[in-house]
């Protein structure tokens, strides 16, 4: 396993009036930030909040190219990002113990926080297709260029780790500085990860090491 | 945090403990137990809250020491608000040190504030003052910063330092105003009233009047021979004699000080010190012994001169004599003073705070209860006492932040 320090390249927020950042996604142009009772669309260049959708947003957020998926209490809502309308609802795999979420290859990948697992589920029914085990609390999940990354945050220590999707083996680990946790993770498809910063109410951009793989 | 924990903590922050419970009521994992405990505390079901927090701490275990310590701090705060001071404060001190060493400065400071309050309530002023000095105010959220300032004010009141009280109350008032939490504003208001109320009665040269803390402080600082019945001590300038546990000597000193510059007859002294109605020879012999003891105790400050009919106090300086007494002298005045804070106390916590036995406290409480001055609720170990004049039992739970910061 390769181990290195996470390099924070930018900090967005703090987004005031919230308890913290619960989930992060990226739709190709905007960062979507789940802050408990709202989804905020943030411009990655200016850092401005462009608009907000009033919707329960308690954990992970994902984007399938057209719709947003958002964990709220013990379910996952499929949301139209333009109107904010909830189009469909499926059960969340950990029944409310869910944390991060990503979309890839026609499936949703949902982190189970204290269960330290990642579930691959059918986005239409919520049925669990398979489960990958980790050894740390999962706080965010993302796929980028065939790599599965997840965030961990346990006992005030936090890191980003790339794991083998078939075995769960940790291949690479980026350690967050002390006191900076990851609550939600999304890649921009290129060099950047966006990480939710928990109760600091921020989103941090982390450089993705390009020589990995 | 996971989805339901986030939703539940959001409900708690919004002041909706029932909404929080609804979301995690059936969960038995550590963060859910902790949240259920905090929600129960907000609903003032303290025994269940403490049980849940204890289970949460156990479930977090040694693998999550920070989360476990936060639960211990919350449990201690509930014990403090419900005036259950019987257990030692050791667990709180351990949690404080754990949080400080693992970098949770905010909750470490909150634990420091709670521990200072604990010591203040149980009369350990030096320990309380050391913790106030040591606790990092800037790391505290505004609510517990108000609490810490009130502890500082309480210490200064007990130590009779009016300027320090004024400083601490000013700080508490400013912080409470900007935090705008009604329960805290009320608590600051109570402290301000307590400071404005008379701190003692001064009996001197045949007069008897109420005095504020400032005047009491000036009196203590003067060269006057002062019989201080609030602190069981006699002092004059830099000289001080403690007579705690010597009630006869103290009663004699007080009688002589109240009469000064006149004499007190032997009959009067016998009556006030031994409750003797008819003085026989054995009483007179005993009075001679006790006067001899008191004379030795006071030798640096005053002389006890025998007169034809009795004794008279003669000071070495010419600055006069006064008696300092509680504002209202009734039976069990100190016990009532403790209950006057409006909180519900267990009899064992009162005994601890008063430094007397549980039986003595129980007898006093039953006496006051039959006079309608106090009342109790709960049974057995859960029995609590309150002053009758106080409506309800105000609580001001601030509770540590349980979620990780970052």
């Amino acid at each position: 396993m390769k181990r290195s320090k996470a390099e924070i390249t930018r900090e967005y927020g703090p987004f005031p009036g919230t308890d913290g950042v619960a989930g992060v996604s990226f739709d190709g142009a905007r960062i979507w930030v789940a802050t408990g009772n709202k989804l905020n669309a943030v411009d990655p260049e200016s850092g401005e909040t462009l608009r907000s959708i009033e919707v329960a947003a308690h954990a992970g957020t994902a984007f399938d190219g057209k719709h947003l998926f958002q964990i709220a209490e013990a379910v996952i809502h499929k949301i139209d990002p333009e109107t904010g309308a909830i189009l469909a609802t499926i059960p969340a795999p950990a029944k409310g113990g869910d944390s991060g979420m990503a979309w890839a290859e026609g499936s949703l990948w949902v982190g189970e926080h204290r269960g330290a697992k990642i579930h691959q589920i059918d986005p239409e029914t919520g049925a669990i297709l398979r489960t990958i085990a980790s050894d740390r609390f999962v706080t965010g999940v993302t796929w980028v260029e065939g790599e599965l990354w997840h965030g961990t945050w346990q006992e005030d220590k936090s890191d980003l780790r790339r794991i083998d999707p078939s075995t769960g083996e940790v291949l690479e680990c980026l350690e967050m500085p002390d006191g900076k946790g990851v609550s939600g993770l999304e890649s921009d498809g290129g060099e950047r990860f966006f990480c939710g910063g928990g109760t600091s109410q921020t989103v941090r951009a982390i450089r993705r090491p390009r020589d990995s793989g | 945090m996971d989805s339901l924990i986030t939703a539940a903590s959001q409900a708690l922050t919004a002041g909706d403990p029932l909404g929080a419970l609804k979301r995690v009521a059936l969960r038995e994992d550590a963060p859910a137990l902790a949240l259920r405990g905090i929600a129960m505390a907000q609903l003032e079901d303290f025994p269940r809250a403490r049980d849940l927090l204890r289970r949460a701490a156990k479930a977090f275990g040694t693998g999550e020491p920070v989360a476990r310590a936060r639960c211990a701090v919350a449990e201690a705060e509930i014990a403090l608000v419900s005036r259950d001071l019987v257990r030692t404060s050791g667990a709180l001190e351990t949690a404080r040190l754990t949080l400080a060493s693992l970098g949770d400065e905010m909750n470490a400071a909150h634990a420091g504030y709670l521990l200072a309050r604990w010591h203040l309530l149980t009369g350990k002023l030096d320990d309380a003052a050391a913790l106030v000095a040591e606790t990092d105010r800037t790391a505290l959220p505004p609510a517990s910063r108000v609490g810490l300032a009130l502890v500082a004010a309480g210490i200064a009141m007990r130590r009779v330092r009016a300027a320090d009280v004024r400083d601490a109350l000013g700080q508490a008032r400013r912080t409470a105003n900007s935090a705008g939490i009604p329960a805290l504003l009320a608590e600051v208001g109570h402290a301000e009233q307590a400071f404005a109320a008379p701190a003692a009665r001064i009996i001197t040269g045949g007069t008897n009047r109420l005095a504020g803390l400032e005047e009491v402080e000036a009196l203590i600082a003067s060269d006057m021979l002062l019989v201080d019945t609030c602190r069981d001590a006699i002092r004059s300038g830099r000289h001080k004699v403690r007579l705690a546990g010597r009630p006869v000597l103290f009663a004699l000193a007080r009688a002589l000080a109240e009469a000064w510059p006149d004499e007190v007859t032997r009959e009067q002294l016998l009556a006030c010190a031994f409750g003797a109605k008819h003085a026989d020879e054995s009483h007179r012999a005993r009075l001679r012994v006790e006067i001899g003891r008191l004379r030795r105790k006071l030798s640096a400050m005053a002389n006890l001169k025998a007169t034809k009919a009795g004794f008279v106090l003669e000071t070495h300086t010419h600055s006069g004599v006064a008696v300092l007494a509680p504002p209202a002298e009734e039976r069990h005045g100190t016990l009532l003073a403790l209950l006057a804070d409006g909180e519900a106390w267990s009899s064992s916590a009162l005994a601890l705070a008063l430094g007397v036995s549980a039986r003595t406290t129980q007898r006093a409480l039953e006496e006051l209860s039959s006079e309608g001055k106090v009342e109790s609720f709960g049974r057995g170990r859960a029995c609590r006492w309150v002053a009758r004049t106080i409506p309800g039992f105000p609580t001001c739970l601030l509770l540590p932040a349980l979620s990780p910061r970052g």
Side-chain angles (χ1 to χ4, degrees):
Chain A
M1 177 185 50
K2 282 194 292 187
R3 192 180 280 279
S4 54
K5 302 267 177 229
E7 184 190 340
I8 298 172
T9 56
R10 180 157 182 194
E11 207 161 276
Y12 300 93
F15 305 100
T18 65
D19 294 340
V21 174
V24 182
S25 192
F26 184 71
D27 67 8
R30 297 166 292 189
I31 312 169
W32 288 90
V33 185
T35 61
N37 48 16
K38 262 195 290 228
L39 263 171
N40 293 332
V42 175
D43 185 293
E45 301 314 316
S46 70
E48 296 290 313
T49 300
L50 303 171
R51 54 185 288 249
S52 286
I53 299 174
E54 298 278 335
V55 63
H58 301 128
T61 315
F63 183 73
D64 70 354
K66 194 171 173 200
H67 303 107
L68 287 166
F69 290 86
Q70 175 61 51
I71 303 174
E73 301 201 358
V75 298
I76 300 171
H77 288 141
K78 182 179 181 180
I79 298 164
D80 182 331
E82 300 317 314
T83 65
I86 294 173
L87 306 174
T89 301
I90 56 171
K95 301 179 175 65
D98 311 83
S99 50
M101 180 162 66
W103 194 91
E105 308 299 326
S107 296
L108 282 172
W109 304 74
V110 185
E112 178 173 345
H113 183 229
R114 291 183 75 83
K117 293 179 186 121
I118 297 168
H119 301 287
Q120 180 188 2
I121 66 166
D122 182 330
E124 297 300 318
T125 64
I128 297 175
L129 305 177
R130 75 176 165 126
T131 296
I132 304 164
S134 173
D135 60 355
R136 302 282 289 174
F137 296 166
V138 178
T139 59
V141 185
T142 193
W143 279 90
V144 52
E145 295 179 338
E147 299 174 2
L148 176 59
W149 287 79
H150 81 84
T152 77
W153 191 354
Q154 195 163 341
E155 257 308 288
D156 296 345
K157 289 241 173 283
S158 198
D159 60 30
L160 305 181
R161 42 183 68 189
R162 177 163 66 87
I163 62 171
D164 183 323
S166 52
T167 63
E169 185 197 346
V170 182
L171 305 173
E172 186 169 4
C173 177
L174 306 178
E175 288 169 0
M176 291 294 285
D178 276 351
K180 296 191 195 288
V182 175
S183 66
L185 175 66
E186 186 68 290
S187 126
D188 71 348
E191 292 204 337
R192 279 180 300 184
F193 287 119
F194 297 117
C195 300
T199 51
S200 71
Q201 306 177 351
T202 58
V203 170
R204 300 186 179 100
I206 308 271
R207 184 184 306 283
R208 179 164 77 100
R210 289 314 298 246
D211 56 351
S212 57
Chain B
M1 291 199 292
D2 68 45
S3 180
L4 274 177
I5 294 288
T6 304
S9 8
Q10 206 177 318
L12 268 187
T13 313
D16 176 16
L18 289 172
L21 283 174
K22 190 184 83 184
R23 290 170 171 91
V24 292
L26 298 176
R27 280 175 52 170
E28 297 283 324
D29 55 290
L33 287 169
L35 269 173
R36 285 166 61 192
I38 299 288
M40 279 310 194
Q42 290 188 355
L43 293 168
E44 295 186 19
D45 184 344
F46 296 137
R48 188 163 302 174
R50 293 178 66 183
D51 177 56
L52 284 161
L53 285 164
R54 218 167 285 170
R55 282 166 63 200
K58 208 168 164 192
F60 279 122
T62 50
E64 294 173 79
V66 174
R68 189 169 61 157
R70 286 172 185 149
C71 290
V73 174
E75 198 198 320
E77 181 163 1
I78 291 165
L80 196 61
V81 167
S82 49
R83 287 297 186 265
D84 190 359
L85 306 180
V86 182
R87 297 170 330 130
T88 67
S89 53
L92 181 54
E93 175 64 1
T94 308
R96 183 178 82 93
L97 297 175
T98 302
L99 292 166
S101 69
L102 295 175
D104 185 350
E105 281 119 17
M106 183 178 80
N107 283 317
H110 185 69
Y113 144 62
L114 292 175
L115 203 52
R117 194 155 234 197
W118 196 301
H119 289 324
L120 173 64
L121 274 165
T122 51
K124 293 181 193 149
L125 292 190
D126 291 340
D127 291 347
L131 272 161
V132 170
E134 196 185 315
T135 298
D136 180 7
R137 279 187 67 244
T138 57
L140 284 173
S144 19
R145 216 177 297 160
V146 175
L148 189 69
L150 287 176
V151 172
I155 295 169
M157 273 163 127
R158 298 266 178 100
R159 287 184 165 168
V160 196
R161 290 182 191 157
D164 292 352
V165 179
R166 201 165 285 125
D167 279 356
L169 283 180
Q171 198 175 77
R173 169 57 66 185
R174 283 190 299 277
T175 315
N177 282 345
S178 58
I181 302 170
L184 278 176
L185 286 165
E187 205 168 323
V188 175
H190 284 312
E192 287 167 342
Q193 276 171 23
F195 179 49
R201 272 182 313 120
I202 296 173
I203 304 161
T204 185
T207 65
N208 182 335
R209 62 193 170 77
L210 292 167
L213 196 71
E214 208 148 30
E215 199 179 339
V216 173
E217 186 180 15
L219 198 64
I220 289 173
S222 74
D223 278 341
M224 241 186 184
L225 181 78
L226 199 61
V227 176
D228 184 348
T229 70
C230 307
R231 287 157 207 86
D232 282 344
I234 300 175
R235 54 177 108 214
S236 172
R238 60 194 175 81
H239 299 292
K240 181 176 169 186
V241 177
R242 289 195 63 89
L243 288 178
R246 308 294 296 271
V248 171
L249 292 192
F250 201 79
L252 292 173
R254 179 171 178 176
L256 288 161
E258 284 194 16
W260 183 89
D262 297 332
E263 64 175 354
V264 185
T265 65
R266 285 183 180 81
E267 286 67 31
Q268 285 168 329
L269 287 173
L270 285 170
C272 76
F274 309 123
K277 285 198 184 85
H278 309 288
D280 59 25
E281 198 43 46
S282 77
H283 279 123
R284 287 174 194 280
R286 196 171 156 207
L287 181 62
R288 266 197 302 279
V289 172
E290 299 290 357
I291 288 285
R293 283 177 180 152
L294 185 60
R295 185 178 280 138
R296 277 194 296 281
K297 289 261 181 205
L298 297 185
S299 59
M301 303 181 243
N303 182 32
L304 291 184
K305 195 179 147 197
T307 61
K308 209 167 202 176
F311 293 92
V312 68
L313 201 55
E314 275 184 347
T315 57
H316 295 340
T317 61
H318 296 284
S319 43
V321 174
V323 173
L324 206 57
E329 269 190 286
E330 51 185 330
R331 275 177 69 74
H332 314 306
T334 45
L335 202 160
L336 285 171
L338 280 174
L339 289 172
D341 70 358
E343 300 287 352
W345 290 71
S346 70
S347 66
S348 43
L350 285 168
L352 204 66
L354 292 169
V356 300
S357 77
R359 268 198 72 88
T360 304
T361 309
Q362 194 64 35
R363 264 200 306 273
L365 284 167
E366 275 157 18
E367 205 172 298
L368 289 169
S369 171
S370 67
E371 292 164 19
K373 288 179 179 156
V374 302
E375 60 189 332
S376 65
F377 60 95
R379 280 176 185 281
R381 274 173 54 92
C383 178
R384 294 293 180 274
W385 295 86
V386 290
R388 195 106 192 224
T389 48
I390 308 293
F393 332 116
T395 54
C396 202
L397 269 179
L398 306 173
L399 294 171
L402 289 179
S403 53
R405 296 179 62 77

